[in-house]
Amino acid sequence: MLVNSKVLLEDAMKHNYAVAGINTTSLTMLRAVLEAAEEEGTPVILSHAQLHEPYAPIELMGPLMKAAAEKSTVPCSLHLDHGTTEAYIYKALSLGFTSVMADFARFSFEENVERTKKVADVCHEIHVTVEGDYGEMPSNVTGQGRALPEGESLEFFFTKPDKAARYVEQTGVDSLVVSFGSVHGIYIEEPKMDYERLGAIREAVPNTPLVMHGGSGLNEEDTRTCIDGGIRKINYYTYMACEPSKKLVQFISSSGKPPYFHEICEYSRELMKEKARYAIKLFQNRG
């Protein structure tokens, strides 16, 4: 069933777990994620990132995702991940998305607040949840993102608790993306998570669900510590999306004949479903 993500996040706050927010850039991936969630009997947030537009146009993927969510046996939210322009965010709203991320972190704090508040005001009029973004993730130490300025430490990117409180109060966002050590994309070094900072952010905005991006590369212990520290939504994509590439060469070479593309998709779906299932179960924080 299609729901507003605010409902899912409120339940996660109440029961100390994180909802998996998983990008689905194809029908194959959409089926994999939904099947994993349904088999686990667990809610899920189906996401579409603006940066995926060149190969997964929202006009095509949005209606597919919405129809699948409406027919699902578990609660599903339809979320725009990293909406970086107002025009694209409003396009997502017109397609029935129930949640959007207003990603204006590249601007100054003041402009970020101004732009996010305008989006939040529009979204709240139609009962759509807004995820705000204050803080960034580096690229030249681990993962992908904007490079660390020369002479600066990793903390340059991290969310500052006092500003987080101001940001939430001034924008009215329903959830907040925070930066304290995780990164987008592939982890090339073991992440160093600043749990003290996470605790301070949680104290600064105790009633706001916190969101962590870059959930693929953390180990189970770190993931559970993040959840216990207040993280209520974890974005997950890279490790699931990369899983088929590790085994497709062997699958194709051992098939005895050139496989049809739909056979490759089916093989990939099963692999991605298991990665999605792993993340969904882990984020439930059941011990």
Side-chain angles (χ1 to χ4, degrees), residues 90-287:
Y90 297 147
K91 182 185 293 186
L93 297 180
S94 72
L95 293 170
F97 279 64
T98 61
S99 175
V100 300
M101 176 188 177
D103 182 359
F104 301 123
R106 65 193 181 278
F107 298 108
S108 68
F109 179 81
E110 292 73 18
E111 187 169 356
N112 184 358
V113 167
E114 181 181 0
R115 286 174 175 264
T116 303
K117 185 181 186 309
K118 288 180 180 178
V119 168
D121 288 345
V122 171
C123 289
H124 290 159
E125 283 290 326
I126 55 176
H127 307 291
V128 169
T129 303
V130 179
E131 180 180 299
D133 185 15
Y134 163 57
E136 295 185 75
M137 298 178 184
S139 66
N140 62 342
V141 177
T142 53
Q144 300 171 348
R146 189 162 69 89
L148 185 69
E150 185 176 354
E152 295 285 356
S153 66
L154 283 176
E155 286 73 17
F156 174 86
F157 289 94
F158 290 173
T159 303
K160 297 177 176 59
D162 58 335
K163 279 195 172 183
R166 286 171 51 202
Y167 177 87
V168 170
E169 180 181 2
Q170 294 176 20
T171 61
V173 295
D174 303 289
S175 61
L176 178 66
V177 179
V178 292
S179 175
F180 60 101
S182 63
V183 299
H184 291 118
I186 301 293
Y187 284 74
I188 59 176
E189 290 183 0
E190 183 177 348
K192 296 177 176 61
M193 309 300 289
D194 188 344
Y195 295 119
E196 183 177 347
R197 182 179 299 268
L198 176 60
I201 296 169
R202 186 182 188 182
E203 289 182 7
V205 288
N207 299 316
T208 302
L210 303 181
V211 178
M212 180 177 73
H213 289 203
S216 287
L218 299 184
N219 60 40
E220 292 190 8
E221 181 180 356
D222 280 334
T223 299
R224 295 185 190 280
T225 303
C226 290
I227 295 171
D228 289 337
I231 295 297
R232 297 297 168 238
K233 172 177 174 275
I234 300 177
N235 283 23
Y236 180 80
Y237 174 73
T238 298
Y239 281 31
M240 179 187 71
C242 291
E243 184 67 14
S245 63
K246 301 176 182 178
K247 302 176 182 179
L248 275 175
V249 172
Q250 180 180 356
F251 170 72
I252 293 171
S253 63
S254 64
S255 65
K257 62 178 179 63
Y260 287 101
F261 183 67
H262 66 260
E263 294 175 325
I264 294 175
C265 288
E266 180 65 11
Y267 178 74
S268 299
R269 181 178 65 82
E270 289 296 333
L271 294 175
M272 290 189 292
K273 182 168 76 171
E274 289 311 306
K275 296 298 287 187
R277 186 200 307 277
Y278 168 80
I280 289 169
K281 289 178 66 174
L282 175 60
F283 299 168
Q284 284 292 296
N285 200 28
R286 293 172 179 164

Side-chain angles (χ1 to χ4, degrees), residues 24-32 61 64 269:
T24 57
T25 58
S26 68
L27 177 59
T28 298
M29 192 172 291
L30 176 60
R31 290 185 59 204
M61 283 305 303
L64 284 176
R269 181 178 65 82

